[in-house]
């Protein structure tokens, strides 16, 4: 049996939550391997809506082990609040069903304050972050001054880590006109939250190694989308971690040989939240229609998403960098009723034709999409559970996407409901 990595292959918001939840019925372990609570997953299970940010999507399924890996940055107060919220909806979350890697870095209040202060500066271009401290926490991890989950268990170590972090942060805060961090108040807050976090702490790398040896199936869950990857995204308008499939191994502490199948989640059109280039963006009635029908508002921030036609060029690029074996195509039903659809097949840049988005930011902005037109369909695809339920024009649209991105469709999602899914290839079958 295979172990599967799920990654977004656009700018996020592709519907990973539903797909991971759907796949989790075939998995034994669901492991989140990067990102923070800036990512949002909405699950609809038997009419109940669950909004997850830090917790893996598998927590809503009984009998599954959910894991938060070391590649994640974790706000301990948010985690506790989210656990309480999901419990209030009838889901049992315990230290037996949820494990948090001991070496997971913590997001502290001064990370969010720094994040927001930077975004408020008018002298530099805004990145469009959620202001939740994700980027500054990753900076501290690389700078070797972050506080990790295991540090909460020892007062002396916690103070040492705190002092190292504050030497750096108080200097930054002074330059931004912020007051120094209240060291004692923050230490007190961490000591208060520690008993709520430490019961979940565990050597995740060891648990996953043993799970793999015993033949248990592991589902690796990513956040954001590949086009927000710190290395391969539209830099600097990206997230602060590696999002592509290779991060699944280092983000939980298991070798790359554990990955058997990479499933890329792809929306049937394109959306983006925040700043940055977006070649196929629509600022007309078609873009508004996509946003309204697709309910394109962020789960975490509520920000309206920018909408545009499907960009096959970018998805092909993302499938290559993540080694995607098959895609799960979502939100096909949002396109119902469009008389004509467009697919971006490449770009024109200063008279030249390109089959990929260039790395340089000034070149990305000047790329003009080259479109291929396709007939739309008037029939509804919502709730379809087999190819026979789809209009012929919808099937042609899906098949053309497969050709252009050079990757087959493994799954097709036709509504937010868990069971409204057409399975072509089961990623868990080796």
């Amino acid at each position: 049996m295979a172990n599967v990595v799920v990654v977004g292959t656009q700018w996020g918001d592709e519907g990973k939550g539903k797909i991971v939840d759907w796949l989790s019925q075939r998995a034994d372990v669901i492991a989140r391997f990067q990102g923070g609570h800036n990512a949002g997953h909405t699950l609809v299970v038997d009419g109940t809506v669950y909004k997850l940010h830090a917790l893996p999507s598998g927590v809503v399924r009984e009998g599954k082990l959910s894991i938060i890996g070391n590649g994640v940055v974790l706000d301990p107060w948010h985690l506790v609040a989210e656990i309480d919220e999901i419990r209030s909806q009838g889901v049992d979350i315990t230290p037996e069903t949820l494990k948090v890697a001991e070496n997971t870095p913590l997001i502290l209040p001064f990370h969010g304050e720094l994040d927001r202060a930077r975004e408020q500066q008018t002298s530099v271009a805004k990145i469009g972050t959620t202001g939740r401290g994700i980027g500054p926490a990753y900076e501290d991890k690389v700078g070797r001054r972050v506080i990790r989950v295991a540090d909460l268990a020892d007062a002396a170590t916690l103070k040492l880590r705190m002092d190292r972090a504050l030497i750096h942060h108080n200097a930054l805060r002074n330059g931004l006109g912020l007051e120094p961090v209240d060291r004692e108040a923050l230490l007190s807050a961490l000591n208060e939250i520690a008993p709520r976090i430490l019961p979940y702490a565990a050597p995740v790398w060891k648990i996953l190694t043993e799970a793999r040896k015993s033949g248990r199936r592991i589902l690796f869950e990513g956040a954001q989308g590949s086009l927000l990857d710190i290395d391969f995204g539209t830099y600097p308008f990206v997230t602060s971690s590696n999002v592509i499939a290779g991060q699944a191994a280092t983000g939980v502490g298991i070798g790359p040989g554990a990955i058997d199948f990479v499933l890329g989640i792809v929306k049937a059109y394109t959306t983006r939240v925040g700043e940055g280039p977006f070649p196929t963006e629509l600022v007309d009635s078609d873009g508004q229609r996509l946003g309204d029908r697709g309910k394109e508002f962020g789960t975490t921030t509520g920000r309206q998403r920018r909408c545009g036609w499907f960009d096959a060029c970018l998805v092909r690029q993302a499938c290559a960098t993540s080694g995607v074996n098959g895609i799960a195509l979502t939100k096909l039903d949002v396109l119902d009723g469009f008389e004509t659809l467009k697919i971006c097949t490449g770009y024109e840049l200063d008279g030249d034709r390109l089959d990929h988005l260039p790395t340089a930011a000034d070149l990305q902005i000047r790329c003009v999409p080259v479109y291929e037109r396709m007939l739309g369909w008037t029939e509804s695809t919502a709730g379809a559970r087999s190819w026979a339920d789809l209009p012929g024009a919808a099937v042609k649209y899906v098949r053309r996407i497969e050709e252009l991105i050079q990757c087959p469709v493994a799954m097709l999602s036709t509504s937010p409901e868990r069971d409204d899914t057409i399975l072509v290839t089961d990623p868990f079958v080796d």
Side-chain angles (χ1 to χ4, degrees), residues 201-220:
V204 158
W205 65 269
K206 186 173 185 293
I207 291 171
L208 287 175
T209 298
E210 292 169 352
R212 186 186 176 206
K213 287 180 179 179
S214 64
R216 301 179 74 189
R217 291 193 263 193
I218 305 168
L219 181 61
F220 300 93

Side-chain angles (χ1 to χ4, degrees), residues 42-271:
T42 300
L43 308 180
V44 181
V45 183
D46 298 329
T48 301
V49 178
Y50 301 97
K51 293 186 180 293
L52 305 178
H53 302 273
L55 290 170
S57 297
V59 296
V60 301
R61 282 195 175 273
E62 291 185 11
K64 310 295 180 180
L65 175 61
S66 292
I67 282 178
I68 296 176
N70 55 277
V72 173
V73 286
L74 185 67
D75 181 324
W77 296 276
H78 175 89
L79 178 63
V80 167
E82 190 171 323
I83 288 173
D84 290 343
E85 174 64 24
I86 300 303
R87 277 178 176 163
S88 74
Q89 294 183 270
V91 177
D92 189 27
I93 300 176
T94 70
E96 285 68 46
T97 61
L98 174 66
K99 304 291 184 183
V100 179
E102 297 169 319
N103 51 340
T104 300
L106 297 180
I107 302 171
L108 302 182
F110 56 70
H111 291 128
E113 291 167 3
L114 175 60
D115 206 355
R116 294 186 291 273
R118 285 172 170 170
E119 282 287 286
Q120 291 166 3
Q121 300 300 304
T122 57
S123 59
V124 294
K126 292 182 181 296
I127 299 298
T129 77
T130 59
R132 300 193 171 207
I134 312 304
Y138 275 117
E139 291 176 39
D140 279 1
K141 175 182 178 178
V142 176
R144 295 167 292 185
R145 55 180 171 266
V146 80
I147 293 172
R148 305 195 294 180
V149 169
D151 299 329
L152 297 176
D154 182 72
T157 300
L158 181 60
K159 290 177 181 178
L160 183 65
R161 298 283 189 269
M162 179 70 72
D163 289 342
R164 183 177 179 84
L166 292 189
I167 289 173
H168 174 80
H169 278 275
N170 281 333
L172 285 179
R173 294 170 70 88
N174 181 60
L176 292 167
L178 300 174
E179 293 293 322
V181 174
D182 187 332
R183 175 182 182 272
E184 297 308 315
L186 183 51
L187 282 172
S188 177
L190 285 169
N191 285 325
E192 183 178 347
I193 199 73
R196 296 290 308 274
I197 299 294
L198 288 173
Y200 300 98
V204 158
W205 65 269
K206 186 173 185 293
I207 291 171
L208 287 175
T209 298
E210 292 169 352
R212 186 186 176 206
K213 287 180 179 179
S214 64
R216 301 179 74 189
R217 291 193 263 193
I218 305 168
L219 181 61
F220 300 93
E221 176 185 9
Q224 288 93 33
S226 298
L227 300 177
L228 295 175
D229 185 271
I230 188 68
D231 289 313
F232 295 100
T234 48
Y235 190 92
F237 304 101
V238 293
T239 193
S240 298
S241 61
N242 285 113
V243 177
I244 60 177
Q247 176 64 19
T250 54
V252 296
I254 198 167
I259 299 171
D260 300 300
F261 193 98
V262 178
L263 182 69
I265 315 300
V266 183
K267 196 179 291 186
Y269 50 100
T270 309
T271 62

Side-chain angles (χ1 to χ4, degrees), residues 292-407:
D292 291 343
R293 295 204 61 195
K295 298 180 176 59
E296 296 297 350
F297 296 90
T299 303
T300 299
T301 64
R303 291 185 294 179
Q304 186 168 2
R305 297 173 187 140
R306 301 152 65 190
C307 298
W309 296 120
F310 187 85
D311 192 330
C313 196
L314 276 179
V315 173
R316 183 171 62 246
Q317 198 167 323
C319 286
T321 56
S322 273
V324 173
N325 301 106
I327 67 166
L329 190 66
T330 68
K331 289 199 167 184
L332 183 67
D333 55 303
V334 174
L335 301 181
D336 293 352
F338 277 89
E339 185 175 331
T340 302
L341 301 171
K342 295 180 182 179
I343 299 177
C344 174
T345 59
Y347 311 108
E348 284 188 358
L349 175 64
D350 301 335
D352 294 327
R353 180 71 180 264
L354 300 180
D355 64 357
H356 68 284
L357 190 69
T359 298
D362 63 311
L363 300 183
Q364 291 177 348
I365 294 171
R366 302 209 307 274
C367 282
V368 178
V370 176
Y371 286 119
E372 176 179 305
R373 293 174 180 269
M374 296 193 69
L375 289 177
W377 53 89
T378 57
E379 306 95 322
S380 173
T381 62
R385 297 187 181 183
S386 73
W387 286 109
D389 295 333
L390 297 176
V395 174
K396 288 181 181 179
Y397 182 78
V398 173
R399 293 307 187 198
R400 185 57 178 150
I401 283 177
E402 288 182 310
E403 293 173 356
L404 291 170
I405 68 173
Q406 299 170 8
C407 191

